[in-house]
Amino acid sequence: MKALYYIIGVVLLSSTVSCNKYVDIENPKDQLVSSSVFVSDATATAAMVGVYSDMNAYNYQFANVLTTFMGAMSADEFAYAATFASFDEFKNNAISPDNTYVGILWSQPYDFIYRSNAIIKGVTASTTLSAATKNQLLGEAHFVRAFCHFYLTNMFGDVPLILTADVPSNSNLKRTPKADVYAAVIADLVEAKKLLINAYPGNQERTRPNKTAATLLLARAYLYTGNNGQAETEATEVINNADYSLLKNPDQTNAASMSKAFLKNSSEAVWQLQVVNTLGGRNTWEGNLMVPASTPYYRLTTGPNGLANAFEAGDRRYANWVGSYTNTATPPVTYYYPFKYKVRVGASGAAATEYSMVLRFAEAYLIRGEARIQQSKLSDGKDDLNVIRDRAGLTALSTPASIAVGMTMVEQERRVELFAEWGHRWFDLKRWKSVTGAGDKSRADDVLPLIKTNWKSTAALFPIPTEAMRTNPNMVQNPGYN
């Protein structure tokens, strides 16, 4: 793993994108020795915002396209229409450890973890930073470390838990049990909440994590680990924050229309990644790839169990967030694609109007609704789901008769609300227990065989990449990939 876990005794700053898109400071040098980075508020801040810049600088990276796209294809949301072996492996749930993209999904989060660890070390040791800057940067670094460990453990299961920037001691670490990784994620987010404030730092755009971002991710982590009471508490804190609201106007020309949820700094945005590479009029990488110029390459699954047919009649999410393209064949064929982002290519030289959405306010209602239903607070849980349904223009649900019935409602609302966002559907299917099979089966074992003929339970985890296996003698491969 030495080739994948790296930090070079300095805080690595991006030389390819401008950090001053996040904060108004001079662009940093390529590398600043650690003793210099943490002397001034400006250079220390540049170290942190350089992480966000690198998260979104290039195409098909962990933090913009890959987690969303590979999660969607691994689940039942959409697939790539052309033949491409590396993508087909995700669509067919038959991933090779040599797959380029599984390697990126492993290596890049660890890069950001190492850089966060270096920032935590440097900021903690500094005697010259202002108290406010120290708290903000420590909070952000703990948040990013938690965020990356969260996604690693959900994609790969047990993973090395990296809490220092000491490469020699980390390079041969064994895989840490998933429960311990989650404990560290939760501890980091609790610490981030203490350190961060509600206001967004820097230029006040919603592109650097604040207290609410840490709270929402903490609510999700509690939900995923079965601590439903705490998940409800944290989600309620997010919901009660007046800085956020659901865009619900059905008129797509209205500024409060749900069609505008993915605009930069929208009222639904809890954390976004700012555009840092706008060549050719691009806004987000997601929109640039999912919004087609003609025939779409990324097409929603169809058929009785496909996402294109999962929406109820009159659901505004379908009207606003699903695009269609009908070709000129005889007879014509209509293809459906994710259309949450509206901009494929904007006007040349125009400012970006959309940012990549990472955490969105609507998830707080879905977390609280599920957590309440799991605690047998069936009426309260139903009410949270109905907030989401009301925005979608749908009739209210009645109180479910049981937890099982309530969870069917939760699954439906999460599927059609969070599709094509950060692998939510993929993670949901894996974390929920099967309703039809043995106790060791997941909901993925119920659902995915309906559209995937070769589904196997072991495909719920991605393989450990070949490079990690080669360079770390203590690394053990996931079942099904030996």
Side-chain angles (χ1 to χ4, degrees), residues 1 74 113 132 147 182 236 294 334 342 377 386 398 437 453 469:
M1 289 189 293
S74 296
I113 287 169
F147 178 81
Y182 262 120
T236 298
S294 55
T334 300
K342 309 302 182 186
K377 300 178 181 179
N386 280 338
S398 300
T453 57
M469 294 294 299

Side-chain angles (χ1 to χ4, degrees), residues 93-161:
N93 302 105
I95 305 169
S96 165
D98 292 324
N99 187 290
T100 297
Y101 299 109
V102 82
I104 294 173
L105 289 170
W106 174 275
S107 63
Q108 287 187 347
Y110 276 119
D111 174 25
F112 301 136
I113 287 169
Y114 263 111
R115 291 165 68 174
S116 298
N117 287 336
I119 290 167
I120 291 171
K121 179 180 178 180
V123 169
T124 300
S126 176
T127 60
T128 55
L129 298 178
S130 69
T133 296
K134 289 189 78 168
N135 285 343
Q136 179 66 37
L137 296 182
L138 285 172
E140 289 184 59
H142 279 285
F143 174 89
V144 170
R145 186 169 72 179
F147 178 81
C148 292
H149 276 128
F150 174 89
Y151 277 92
L152 283 165
T153 200
N154 274 280
M155 290 186 287
F156 297 98
D158 299 345
V159 295
L161 179 63

Side-chain angles (χ1 to χ4, degrees), residues 18-67:
S18 173
C19 291
N20 67 2
K21 296 189 178 212
Y22 281 83
V23 290
D24 293 325
I25 58 177
E26 291 184 4
N27 291 347
K29 301 292 191 290
D30 291 354
Q31 298 174 5
L32 297 177
V33 296
S34 57
S35 61
S36 299
V37 167
F38 302 107
V39 169
S40 76
D41 287 358
T43 55
T45 299
M48 191 70 246
V49 300
V51 172
Y52 310 132
S53 292
D54 285 354
M55 280 184 168
N56 205 29
Y58 301 104
N59 199 0
Y60 289 105
Q61 304 297 292
F62 153 72
N64 50 39
V65 169
L66 282 187
T67 302

